[in-house]
Amino acid sequence: MARRVVVALLGPVRWSPPGIDRQDWRAALAEDVIDLIATLNEVDVAVAVTPADRALADALVWPGTTVYEVAEPTPNAVFAAVDGYDQAAVLAGDVPDLPALTVGKLLRPLTTRPVAVAPVEGGGPGLLGVAARLPAPGWLRPLDLDTATPTDARAGAPRPGDVAVTAGWRRLRGPADLATLDPAFEGWEATRALLSGAGRPT
């Protein structure tokens, strides 16, 4: 069986709900994403941050969790840092209620494709995550999870089909995204608690 790792990439957060400190919001989102991937089966889990955010990662990870320090918060930098695995998936750090099945769908195409990407649901800019066989192919151009699209991921590929596009999910990057949170959906406890403390219904 292929050795696989799922990495939460704790990149910058450029928005927070009114009345909530940006850093508190970022930490709550990250905590929920880390808790989510810790429940996944048949994969190892890790976190990636730039050196400036190492303290954030250390405060949130479970004991024994690998933390990769990367020069820039991109999936490509994470793929280069990961060692000892056949496959890796890199997820954005602002998807606290991401269904575990969506992560599985991102990894599944790697049995036949070198790269897979999960778009942001609704067709907006950015990606939910990127997965690749390791070492990642040299044609995979640097991708920014906040701005890249599946088309960008395919731009350098020998064939468009080398990059699978899997199920998407929305990221919490603005008021419209916040409104889609489902109180009945299990998980996202830290985000839920922070919103409750700010007087918002959960």
Side-chain angles (χ1 to χ4, degrees):
M1 180 179 292
R3 291 200 66 205
R4 301 181 295 178
V5 62
V6 176
V7 185
L9 177 57
L10 307 186
V13 171
R14 296 180 173 85
W15 172 86
S16 62
I20 296 180
D21 178 80
R22 184 80 53 88
Q23 293 308 310
D24 291 343
W25 178 244
R26 183 188 188 194
L29 295 176
E31 181 177 349
D32 285 336
V33 173
I34 292 168
D35 286 351
L36 162 74
I37 64 175
T39 68
L40 299 176
N41 296 320
E42 300 180 353
V43 299
D44 290 339
V45 301
V47 170
V49 290
T50 60
D53 288 324
R54 180 61 191 247
L56 171 66
D58 288 342
L60 297 176
V61 296
W62 293 84
T65 303
T66 299
V67 177
Y68 296 105
E69 288 190 15
V70 292
E72 59 182 11
T74 65
N76 307 68
V78 177
F79 294 145
V82 170
D83 186 36
Y85 291 94
D86 304 304
Q87 302 173 2
V90 180
L91 300 175
D94 53 9
V95 284
D97 62 337
L98 179 68
L101 281 175
T102 304
V103 184
K105 290 177 181 178
L106 179 60
L107 285 163
R108 191 170 301 130
L110 299 184
T111 57
T112 58
R113 317 277 187 93
V115 175
V117 297
V120 172
E121 195 174 61
L127 297 170
L128 163 69
V130 182
R133 296 181 195 162
L134 300 178
W139 50 256
L140 183 62
R141 298 180 179 178
L143 300 173
D144 183 331
L145 289 180
D146 288 339
T147 60
T149 65
T151 300
D152 295 327
R154 286 175 164 164
R159 297 170 299 277
D162 286 337
V163 178
V165 179
T166 67
W169 193 255
R170 53 103 183 91
R171 295 169 55 186
L172 293 189
R173 298 189 291 179
D177 302 315
L178 187 66
T180 66
L181 281 171
D182 183 354
F185 194 86
E186 293 184 4
W188 58 283
E189 299 300 333
T191 303
R192 191 191 307 264
L194 192 59
L195 289 170
S196 178
R200 289 168 178 76
T202 57

